[in-house]
Coordinates of all heavy atoms in Angstrom, one line a residue:
M1 N 88.0 114.8 101.7 CA 88.0 113.3 101.3 C 89.6 113.1 101.5 O 90.5 113.8 101.0 CB 87.6 113.2 99.9 CG 88.1 111.9 99.3 SD 87.3 111.6 97.6 CE 88.1 112.9 96.7
T2 N 89.8 112.1 102.1 CA 91.3 111.6 102.4 C 91.5 110.3 101.7 O 90.8 109.4 101.8 CB 91.6 111.4 103.9 OG1 91.2 112.7 104.6 CG2 92.9 111.3 104.2
N3 N 92.7 110.2 101.0 CA 93.0 109.1 100.4 C 94.0 108.4 101.2 O 95.1 108.9 101.5 CB 93.7 109.4 98.9 CG 94.1 108.1 98.2 OD1 94.2 107.0 98.7 ND2 94.3 108.4 96.9
I4 N 93.7 107.1 101.6 CA 94.7 106.4 102.5 C 95.0 105.1 101.8 O 94.2 104.3 101.4 CB 93.9 105.9 103.8 CG1 93.3 107.2 104.5 CG2 94.7 105.2 104.7 CD1 92.4 106.9 105.7
T5 N 96.3 104.8 101.6 CA 96.8 103.6 101.0 C 97.4 102.7 102.0 O 98.1 103.1 102.9 CB 97.8 103.9 99.9 OG1 97.3 104.8 98.9 CG2 98.2 102.6 99.2
Q6 N 96.8 101.5 102.3 CA 97.2 100.6 103.3 C 97.6 99.4 102.7 O 97.1 98.9 101.7 CB 96.1 100.3 104.2 CG 95.6 101.7 105.0 CD 94.5 101.3 106.0 OE1 93.9 100.2 105.9 NE2 94.4 102.2 107.0
P7 N 98.5 98.7 103.3 CA 99.0 97.2 102.9 C 97.7 96.3 103.0 O 96.9 96.5 104.0 CB 100.1 96.9 103.7 CG 100.1 97.8 104.9 CD 99.4 99.0 104.5
S8 N 97.7 95.3 102.2 CA 96.7 94.4 102.2 C 97.1 93.0 102.9 O 98.2 92.6 102.6 CB 96.2 94.3 100.8 OG 95.3 93.1 100.8
N9 N 96.0 92.3 103.4 CA 96.3 90.9 103.8 C 95.7 90.0 102.7 O 95.7 89.0 102.9 CB 95.6 90.6 105.1 CG 96.3 91.3 106.2 OD1 97.5 91.6 106.0 ND2 95.6 91.7 107.2
F10 N 95.1 90.6 101.6 CA 94.5 89.8 100.6 C 95.6 89.2 99.6 O 96.6 89.8 99.4 CB 93.5 90.7 99.7 CG 92.4 91.1 100.5 CD1 92.4 92.4 100.9 CD2 91.3 90.3 100.6 CE1 91.3 92.9 101.6 CE2 90.1 90.7 101.2 CZ 90.2 92.0 101.8
R11 N 95.2 88.0 99.2 CA 96.2 87.2 98.3 C 96.2 88.0 97.0 O 95.3 88.3 96.5 CB 95.6 85.8 98.1 CG 96.4 85.0 97.2 CD 95.9 83.6 97.3 NE 94.5 83.4 97.0 CZ 93.9 83.1 95.9 NH1 94.8 82.8 94.9 NH2 92.7 83.1 95.6
V12 N 97.4 88.1 96.4 CA 97.6 88.8 95.1 C 97.4 87.7 94.0 O 97.9 86.5 94.1 CB 98.9 89.5 95.1 CG1 99.2 90.0 93.6 CG2 99.2 90.5 96.1
I13 N 96.6 88.1 93.0 CA 96.2 87.2 91.9 C 96.9 87.7 90.7 O 96.8 88.9 90.4 CB 94.7 87.0 91.7 CG1 94.1 86.5 93.0 CG2 94.4 86.2 90.6 CD1 92.6 86.5 93.0
D14 N 97.6 86.9 89.8 CA 98.4 87.4 88.8 C 97.5 87.9 87.6 O 97.9 88.6 86.9 CB 99.2 86.3 88.3 CG 100.4 86.0 89.2 OD1 100.8 86.9 90.0 OD2 101.0 84.9 89.1
Q15 N 96.3 87.4 87.6 CA 95.4 87.8 86.5 C 94.5 89.1 86.8 O 94.3 89.3 88.0 CB 94.5 86.7 86.1 CG 93.6 86.2 87.1 CD 92.9 84.8 86.8 OE1 92.3 84.9 85.6 NE2 93.0 83.8 87.5
P16 N 94.3 90.0 85.8 CA 93.5 91.2 86.2 C 92.2 91.0 86.7 O 91.5 90.0 86.3 CB 93.5 91.9 84.9 CG 93.9 90.9 83.8 CD 94.6 89.8 84.4
S17 N 91.8 91.7 87.7 CA 90.4 91.6 88.2 C 89.7 92.7 87.9 O 90.2 93.9 87.8 CB 90.7 91.5 89.8 OG 91.4 90.3 90.2
P18 N 88.4 92.6 87.8 CA 87.5 93.8 87.6 C 87.6 94.6 88.9 O 87.8 94.1 90.0 CB 86.1 93.3 87.3 CG 86.2 91.9 87.7 CD 87.6 91.5 87.7
R19 N 87.5 95.9 88.8 CA 87.4 96.9 89.9 C 86.1 96.7 90.5 O 85.1 96.7 89.9 CB 87.7 98.2 89.5 CG 89.2 98.6 89.3 CD 89.4 99.9 89.0 NE 90.8 100.2 89.1 CZ 91.3 101.4 88.5 NH1 90.5 102.1 87.9 NH2 92.6 101.6 88.6
C20 N 86.2 97.0 91.8 CA 84.9 97.0 92.7 C 85.1 98.1 93.7 O 86.1 98.3 94.3 CB 84.8 95.6 93.4 SG 83.3 95.7 94.5
V21 N 84.0 98.9 93.8 CA 84.0 100.0 94.9 C 83.2 99.5 95.9 O 81.8 99.2 95.7 CB 83.5 101.3 94.1 CG1 83.3 102.4 95.2 CG2 84.4 101.8 93.0
R22 N 83.6 99.4 97.0 CA 82.8 99.2 98.2 C 82.6 100.3 99.1 O 83.5 101.0 99.4 CB 83.5 98.1 99.0 CG 83.8 96.9 98.3 CD 83.3 95.6 98.9 NE 83.4 94.5 98.0 CZ 83.9 93.4 98.5 NH1 84.5 93.2 99.7 NH2 84.0 92.3 97.6
V23 N 81.3 100.7 99.5 CA 81.0 101.7 100.2 C 80.4 101.3 101.5 O 79.4 100.5 101.5 CB 79.9 102.7 99.5 CG1 79.6 103.8 100.4 CG2 80.5 103.1 98.2
C24 N 81.1 101.4 102.6 CA 80.7 100.9 104.0 C 79.2 101.5 104.3 O 78.9 102.7 104.1 CB 81.6 101.5 105.1 SG 81.1 100.7 106.7
Q25 N 78.4 100.6 104.7 CA 77.0 101.0 105.1 C 76.6 100.6 106.5 O 75.6 100.3 107.0 CB 76.0 100.2 104.2 CG 76.1 100.7 102.7 CD 75.8 102.3 102.5 OE1 74.8 102.7 102.9 NE2 76.7 102.8 101.9
N26 N 77.7 100.5 107.3 CA 77.7 100.1 108.7 C 77.1 101.3 109.6 O 77.0 102.5 108.9 CB 78.9 99.5 109.2 CG 78.7 98.7 110.5 OD1 77.6 98.0 110.7 ND2 79.6 98.6 111.5
R27 N 76.8 101.2 110.8 CA 76.3 102.3 111.6 C 76.8 103.7 111.5 O 76.2 104.7 111.1 CB 76.2 101.8 113.1 CG 75.2 100.7 113.3 CD 75.3 100.4 114.8 NE 76.6 100.2 115.3 CZ 76.9 99.2 116.1 NH1 75.9 98.4 116.7 NH2 78.1 99.1 116.5
T28 N 78.1 103.7 111.8 CA 78.7 105.0 111.9 C 78.9 105.6 110.5 O 78.6 106.8 110.4 CB 80.1 104.9 112.5 OG1 80.2 104.3 113.7 CG2 80.9 106.3 112.6
C29 N 79.2 105.0 109.5 CA 79.1 105.4 108.1 C 77.8 105.9 107.7 O 77.7 106.9 107.0 CB 79.9 104.5 107.1 SG 81.7 104.4 107.3
K30 N 76.9 105.1 108.0 CA 75.5 105.4 107.7 C 75.0 106.7 108.2 O 74.4 107.6 107.6 CB 74.5 104.4 108.0 CG 74.1 103.6 107.0 CD 72.9 102.5 107.6 CE 72.4 101.6 106.4 NZ 71.3 100.8 106.9
K31 N 75.5 107.0 109.6 CA 75.1 108.2 110.1 C 75.8 109.4 109.5 O 75.4 110.5 109.6 CB 75.6 108.1 111.7 CG 74.6 107.4 112.4 CD 75.2 107.2 114.0 CE 74.3 106.3 114.8 NZ 74.9 106.2 116.2
Q32 N 77.0 109.1 108.9 CA 77.7 110.2 108.2 C 77.4 110.3 106.8 O 78.1 111.0 106.1 CB 79.2 109.8 108.4 CG 79.7 109.9 109.8 CD 81.0 109.4 110.1 OE1 81.5 108.4 109.4 NE2 81.7 109.8 111.2
G33 N 76.3 109.7 106.3 CA 75.9 109.9 104.9 C 76.3 108.9 103.9 O 76.1 109.2 102.6
A34 N 76.5 107.7 104.3 CA 77.0 106.6 103.3 C 76.0 106.3 102.2 O 76.3 105.9 101.2 CB 77.6 105.3 104.1
L35 N 74.7 106.4 102.7 CA 73.6 106.1 101.6 C 73.7 107.1 100.5 O 73.6 106.7 99.4 CB 72.3 106.2 102.4 CG 71.9 105.0 103.3 CD1 70.5 105.2 104.1 CD2 71.8 103.8 102.6
K36 N 74.1 108.3 100.8 CA 74.2 109.4 99.8 C 75.4 109.1 98.9 O 75.3 109.4 97.6 CB 74.2 110.8 100.2 CG 72.9 111.2 101.0 CD 73.1 112.5 101.5 CE 71.8 113.1 102.2 NZ 72.0 114.4 102.8
I37 N 76.5 108.5 99.5 CA 77.6 108.2 98.8 C 77.3 107.1 97.8 O 77.7 107.2 96.5 CB 78.8 107.8 99.7 CG1 79.1 108.8 100.8 CG2 80.1 107.4 98.9 CD1 79.4 110.2 100.1
I38 N 76.7 105.9 98.2 CA 76.4 104.9 97.2 C 75.4 105.3 96.2 O 75.5 105.0 95.0 CB 76.0 103.6 98.0 CG1 76.2 102.4 97.1 CG2 74.5 103.8 98.5 CD1 76.3 101.1 97.8
A39 N 74.6 106.2 96.5 CA 73.6 106.8 95.5 C 74.3 107.6 94.4 O 74.0 107.5 93.2 CB 72.5 107.6 96.3
A40 N 75.3 108.3 94.9 CA 76.2 109.2 94.0 C 77.0 108.3 93.1 O 77.1 108.5 91.7 CB 77.1 110.1 94.8
F41 N 77.5 107.2 93.5 CA 78.2 106.2 92.5 C 77.3 105.7 91.6 O 77.5 105.6 90.4 CB 78.8 105.2 93.4 CG 80.2 105.5 93.9 CD1 80.4 105.8 95.2 CD2 81.4 105.4 93.1 CE1 81.7 106.0 95.7 CE2 82.5 106.0 93.5 CZ 82.7 106.1 94.8
A42 N 76.0 105.2 92.0 CA 75.1 104.7 91.3 C 74.4 105.5 90.1 O 74.2 105.0 89.2 CB 73.8 104.1 92.2
A43 N 74.6 106.8 90.4 CA 74.1 107.8 89.4 C 75.1 107.9 88.3 O 74.7 108.6 87.2 CB 73.8 109.1 90.1
L44 N 76.3 107.4 88.3 CA 77.3 107.6 87.3 C 77.5 106.3 86.6 O 77.3 105.2 87.1 CB 78.6 108.0 88.0 CG 78.5 109.2 88.8 CD1 80.0 109.4 89.4 CD2 78.4 110.4 87.9
S45 N 77.9 106.4 85.3 CA 78.0 105.3 84.5 C 79.7 105.0 84.6 O 80.5 105.8 84.1 CB 77.8 105.5 83.0 OG 78.2 104.4 82.3
I46 N 80.0 103.9 85.2 CA 81.4 103.6 85.4 C 81.7 102.3 84.7 O 81.5 101.2 85.3 CB 81.9 103.6 86.9 CG1 81.3 104.8 87.6 CG2 83.4 103.6 87.0 CD1 81.3 104.7 89.1
P47 N 82.3 102.3 83.5 CA 82.6 101.0 82.9 C 83.5 100.1 83.5 O 84.5 100.6 84.2 CB 83.2 101.4 81.4 CG 83.4 102.8 81.4 CD 82.8 103.4 82.8
D48 N 83.2 98.8 83.6 CA 84.2 97.8 84.1 C 84.3 98.0 85.7 O 85.4 97.5 86.2 CB 85.4 97.7 83.4 CG 85.2 97.3 82.0 OD1 84.5 96.5 81.7 OD2 86.0 97.9 81.2
V49 N 83.4 98.6 86.3 CA 83.5 98.8 87.9 C 82.1 98.5 88.5 O 81.1 98.9 87.9 CB 83.9 100.3 88.1 CG1 83.9 100.5 89.6 CG2 85.2 100.6 87.6
T50 N 82.3 97.7 89.5 CA 81.1 97.3 90.3 C 81.0 98.1 91.5 O 81.9 98.2 92.3 CB 81.0 95.7 90.6 OG1 81.1 95.0 89.3 CG2 79.8 95.5 91.3
V51 N 79.9 98.7 91.8 CA 79.6 99.5 93.0 C 78.8 98.6 93.9 O 77.7 98.2 93.6 CB 79.1 100.8 92.8 CG1 79.0 101.6 94.1 CG2 80.1 101.6 91.9
T52 N 79.3 98.3 95.3 CA 78.4 97.6 96.2 C 78.5 98.2 97.5 O 79.5 98.8 97.9 CB 78.9 96.2 96.3 OG1 80.3 96.1 96.8 CG2 79.0 95.3 95.0
A53 N 77.4 98.0 98.2 CA 77.3 98.2 99.6 C 78.2 97.3 100.5 O 78.2 96.1 100.1 CB 75.8 98.3 100.2
S54 N 78.9 97.7 101.5 CA 79.7 96.8 102.2 C 79.4 96.9 103.7 O 78.7 97.8 104.2 CB 81.2 97.4 102.1 OG 82.1 96.6 102.9
S55 N 79.6 95.8 104.4 CA 79.5 95.9 105.9 C 80.8 96.6 106.4 O 81.5 97.2 105.6 CB 79.5 94.5 106.4 OG 80.7 93.8 106.0
C56 N 81.0 96.7 107.6 CA 82.0 97.6 108.2 C 83.4 97.2 107.5 O 83.8 96.2 107.4 CB 82.0 97.2 109.7 SG 83.3 98.3 110.6
L57 N 84.0 98.3 107.3 CA 85.4 98.3 106.6 C 86.5 98.5 107.7 O 87.6 98.5 107.5 CB 85.5 99.3 105.5 CG 84.7 99.0 104.2 CD1 84.8 100.1 103.3 CD2 85.1 97.7 103.6
G58 N 86.0 98.7 109.0 CA 87.0 98.7 110.1 C 87.7 100.1 110.3 O 88.7 100.1 110.8
E59 N 87.0 101.1 109.6 CA 87.6 102.5 109.9 C 86.7 103.3 110.5 O 86.5 104.5 110.1 CB 88.0 103.0 108.5 CG 89.2 102.3 107.7 CD 90.5 102.6 108.5 OE1 90.7 103.6 109.1 OE2 91.3 101.7 108.7
C60 N 85.9 102.9 111.5 CA 84.8 103.7 112.1 C 85.4 105.0 112.6 O 86.5 105.0 113.1 CB 84.1 102.9 113.4 SG 83.5 101.3 112.8
G61 N 84.5 106.0 112.4 CA 85.0 107.4 112.8 C 85.7 108.2 111.7 O 85.9 109.3 111.8
N62 N 86.1 107.4 110.5 CA 86.8 108.1 109.5 C 85.8 108.1 108.3 O 86.2 108.4 107.2 CB 88.0 107.3 108.9 CG 89.1 107.4 110.1 OD1 89.3 108.4 110.7 ND2 89.8 106.4 110.4
G63 N 84.6 107.8 108.4 CA 83.6 107.6 107.4 C 82.9 108.8 106.8 O 83.2 109.9 107.5
P64 N 82.3 108.7 105.8 CA 82.0 107.5 105.0 C 83.2 107.0 104.3 O 84.0 107.7 103.8 CB 80.9 107.8 104.0 CG 80.3 109.1 104.5 CD 81.3 109.8 105.4
M65 N 83.3 105.6 104.4 CA 84.6 105.0 103.8 C 84.3 104.4 102.5 O 83.2 103.7 102.3 CB 85.0 103.9 104.8 CG 85.7 104.4 106.1 SD 87.1 105.4 106.0 CE 88.2 104.4 105.0
V66 N 85.2 104.5 101.6 CA 85.2 103.9 100.2 C 86.4 103.1 100.1 O 87.5 103.6 100.2 CB 84.9 104.9 99.1 CG1 85.0 104.3 97.8 CG2 83.7 105.7 99.3
L67 N 86.3 101.9 99.6 CA 87.4 100.9 99.4 C 87.4 100.6 97.9 O 86.4 100.0 97.5 CB 87.4 99.7 100.2 CG 88.5 98.7 99.9 CD1 90.0 99.2 100.0 CD2 88.3 97.4 100.9
I68 N 88.6 100.7 97.1 CA 88.5 100.3 95.7 C 89.4 99.1 95.7 O 90.5 99.1 96.0 CB 89.0 101.5 94.7 CG1 88.1 102.6 94.9 CG2 89.1 100.9 93.4 CD1 88.7 103.9 94.3
L69 N 88.9 98.0 95.2 CA 89.4 96.8 95.0 C 89.6 96.5 93.4 O 88.8 96.9 92.7 CB 88.6 95.7 95.6 CG 88.4 95.8 97.1 CD1 87.4 94.7 97.6 CD2 89.7 95.5 97.9
P70 N 90.7 95.7 93.1 CA 91.7 95.2 93.8 C 92.8 95.9 94.3 O 93.8 95.5 94.8 CB 92.1 94.0 92.8 CG 92.0 94.7 91.6 CD 90.8 95.5 91.6
D71 N 92.7 97.3 93.9 CA 93.8 98.3 94.2 C 94.1 98.5 95.7 O 95.2 99.0 96.0 CB 93.6 99.6 93.5 CG 93.2 99.4 92.0 OD1 93.3 98.3 91.5 OD2 92.8 100.5 91.4
M72 N 93.2 98.3 96.6 CA 93.3 98.6 97.9 C 93.6 100.0 98.2 O 94.4 100.5 99.0 CB 94.5 97.7 98.5 CG 94.0 96.2 98.7 SD 92.6 95.9 99.6 CE 92.9 96.4 101.2
V73 N 92.8 100.9 97.5 CA 92.8 102.3 97.7 C 91.5 102.8 98.5 O 90.5 102.4 98.2 CB 92.8 103.0 96.3 CG1 92.7 104.5 96.6 CG2 94.1 102.7 95.5
W74 N 91.9 103.4 99.7 CA 90.8 103.8 100.6 C 90.6 105.2 100.5 O 91.5 106.0 100.3 CB 91.3 103.5 102.0 CG 91.6 101.9 102.4 CD1 92.7 101.3 101.9 CD2 90.7 101.2 103.2 NE1 92.5 100.0 102.5 CE2 91.2 99.9 103.2 CE3 89.6 101.4 103.8 CZ2 90.8 99.0 103.8 CZ3 88.9 100.4 104.5 CH2 89.6 99.1 104.6
Y75 N 89.4 105.6 100.6 CA 89.0 107.1 100.7 C 88.2 107.2 102.0 O 87.2 106.3 102.2 CB 88.2 107.5 99.5 CG 89.0 107.7 98.3 CD1 89.2 106.6 97.4 CD2 89.7 108.9 98.0 CE1 89.9 106.7 96.3 CE2 90.4 109.1 96.7 CZ 90.6 108.0 95.9 OH 91.4 108.0 94.9
S76 N 88.5 108.2 102.7 CA 87.8 108.5 104.0 C 87.0 109.8 103.9 O 87.4 110.7 103.2 CB 88.7 108.4 105.2 OG 89.7 109.4 105.2
R77 N 86.0 109.9 104.7 CA 85.2 111.2 104.9 C 84.8 111.7 103.4 O 84.8 112.9 103.2 CB 86.1 112.3 105.5 CG 86.3 111.9 107.0 CD 87.3 113.0 107.7 NE 87.4 112.7 109.1 CZ 88.4 111.9 109.5 NH1 89.2 111.4 108.6 NH2 88.5 111.8 110.8
V78 N 84.3 110.7 102.7 CA 83.9 111.1 101.2 C 82.4 111.8 101.4 O 81.7 111.4 102.1 CB 83.8 109.8 100.4 CG1 83.2 110.0 99.1 CG2 85.1 109.1 100.3
Q79 N 82.3 112.8 100.6 CA 81.1 113.5 100.5 C 80.5 113.3 99.1 O 81.2 113.1 98.1 CB 81.4 115.0 100.8 CG 81.8 115.4 102.0 CD 81.0 114.9 103.2 OE1 79.8 115.2 103.3 NE2 81.6 114.1 104.1
P80 N 79.2 113.3 98.9 CA 78.5 113.1 97.8 C 79.0 114.0 96.5 O 79.2 113.4 95.5 CB 77.0 113.5 97.9 CG 76.9 113.1 99.4 CD 78.3 113.6 100.1
D81 N 79.3 115.0 96.9 CA 79.8 116.1 95.7 C 81.2 115.8 95.3 O 81.7 116.2 94.4 CB 79.5 117.6 96.1 CG 80.5 118.0 97.2 OD1 81.0 117.1 98.1 OD2 80.6 119.2 97.5
Q82 N 82.0 114.8 96.0 CA 83.3 114.4 95.7 C 83.3 113.2 94.8 O 84.3 112.9 94.2 CB 84.1 114.3 96.9 CG 84.4 115.5 97.8 CD 84.9 115.2 99.0 OE1 84.6 114.2 99.7 NE2 85.8 116.1 99.4
V83 N 82.2 112.4 94.7 CA 82.1 111.1 94.1 C 82.6 111.2 92.6 O 83.3 110.5 92.0 CB 80.8 110.5 94.3 CG1 80.8 109.2 93.4 CG2 80.7 110.0 95.8
S84 N 81.9 112.3 91.9 CA 82.3 112.4 90.4 C 83.7 112.6 90.2 O 84.3 112.1 89.3 CB 81.4 113.5 89.9 OG 81.6 114.7 90.4
L85 N 84.3 113.4 91.1 CA 85.8 113.7 90.9 C 86.6 112.5 91.2 O 87.5 112.2 90.5 CB 86.2 114.9 91.8 CG 87.7 115.4 91.8 CD1 87.9 115.9 90.4 CD2 88.0 116.3 93.0
L86 N 86.2 111.7 92.1 CA 86.9 110.5 92.5 C 86.9 109.4 91.4 O 87.9 109.0 90.9 CB 86.2 109.8 93.7 CG 86.9 108.6 94.3 CD1 86.6 108.5 95.8 CD2 86.5 107.3 93.6
V87 N 85.6 109.4 90.7 CA 85.5 108.5 89.6 C 86.3 109.0 88.4 O 87.0 108.2 87.8 CB 84.0 108.4 89.2 CG1 83.8 107.7 87.8 CG2 83.2 107.7 90.3
E88 N 86.3 110.3 88.1 CA 87.0 110.9 86.9 C 88.6 110.7 87.1 O 89.3 110.2 86.2 CB 86.7 112.4 86.8 CG 85.3 112.6 86.2 CD 85.1 114.1 86.0 OE1 86.0 114.9 86.2 OE2 83.9 114.4 86.0
E89 N 89.1 111.1 88.2 CA 90.5 111.0 88.4 C 91.1 109.7 88.8 O 92.1 109.4 88.3 CB 90.8 112.1 89.5 CG 90.7 113.5 89.2 CD 91.3 114.5 90.2 OE1 91.6 114.1 91.3 OE2 91.2 115.7 89.8
Y90 N 90.4 108.9 89.6 CA 91.0 107.6 89.9 C 90.5 106.5 89.1 O 91.3 105.7 88.5 CB 90.7 107.3 91.4 CG 91.6 106.2 91.9 CD1 92.9 106.2 92.1 CD2 91.0 104.8 91.7 CE1 93.8 105.1 92.3 CE2 91.8 103.7 92.0 CZ 93.2 103.9 92.3 OH 93.9 102.7 92.5
L91 N 89.1 106.3 89.0 CA 88.7 105.1 88.2 C 88.7 105.3 86.8 O 89.0 104.2 86.0 CB 87.2 104.8 88.6 CG 87.1 104.4 90.1 CD1 85.6 104.4 90.6 CD2 87.7 103.1 90.4
L92 N 88.5 106.4 86.2 CA 88.7 106.6 84.8 C 89.9 107.2 84.3 O 90.2 107.3 83.1 CB 87.5 107.6 84.3 CG 86.0 107.1 84.6 CD1 84.9 108.0 84.1 CD2 85.8 105.7 83.9
G93 N 90.7 107.8 85.3 CA 92.0 108.3 84.9 C 92.0 109.5 84.0 O 93.0 109.9 83.3
V94 N 90.9 110.3 84.2 CA 90.9 111.6 83.4 C 91.4 112.7 84.3 O 91.0 112.8 85.5 CB 89.3 111.9 83.0 CG1 89.1 113.2 82.5 CG2 88.7 110.8 82.3
K95 N 92.2 113.5 83.8 CA 92.7 114.5 84.6 C 92.8 116.0 83.9 O 92.7 116.1 82.8 CB 94.3 114.3 85.0 CG 94.4 113.1 85.8 CD 95.7 112.8 86.4 CE 95.8 111.6 87.2 NZ 96.7 111.4 88.1

């Protein structure tokens, strides 16, 4: 799993936004196991976080791709057994 932080073209809003995890479900990511990734997220209870399937995130060949909004934190080549660690360390802040 690779963590990629990229600048965003999205407008910054001053008020806090709920977090959203987007899991790419486009062709390449699907072939690389993206359905298992979204299922792994769905199996966990993550307070104040919405997990959704996404269309192409524009990182074909690096998938399965996960994007955490509004933080604009990208994870590439995510495997199902890495999802719980991602949730614990990044989304819940448990170390």
Side-chain angles (χ1 to χ4, degrees):
M1 173 174 60
T2 307
N3 182 344
I4 305 169
T5 304
Q6 296 180 341
S8 167
N9 291 333
F10 292 100
R11 181 172 55 97
V12 176
I13 301 172
D14 291 334
Q15 53 190 319
S17 300
R19 281 187 168 156
C20 178
V21 174
R22 301 234 172 127
V23 181
C24 180
Q25 296 297 308
N26 206 29
R27 290 182 306 219
T28 305
C29 285
K30 258 189 180 174
K31 286 180 186 175
Q32 296 170 330
L35 289 172
K36 291 179 182 177
I37 304 306
I38 203 160
F41 274 106
L44 301 172
S45 175
I46 314 167
D48 301 320
V49 175
T50 303
V51 178
T52 61
S54 173
S55 58
C56 184
L57 293 172
E59 292 291 325
C60 299
N62 293 319
M65 292 299 300
V66 172
L67 171 60
I68 301 173
L69 297 172
D71 307 352
M72 291 304 298
V73 173
W74 297 76
Y75 287 91
S76 63
R77 296 181 175 88
V78 177
Q79 297 302 307
D81 62 346
Q82 297 172 321
V83 170
S84 62
L85 183 62
L86 185 156
V87 168
E88 286 177 16
E89 290 188 353
Y90 189 81
L91 294 172
L92 300 177
V94 178
K95 295 190 182 197

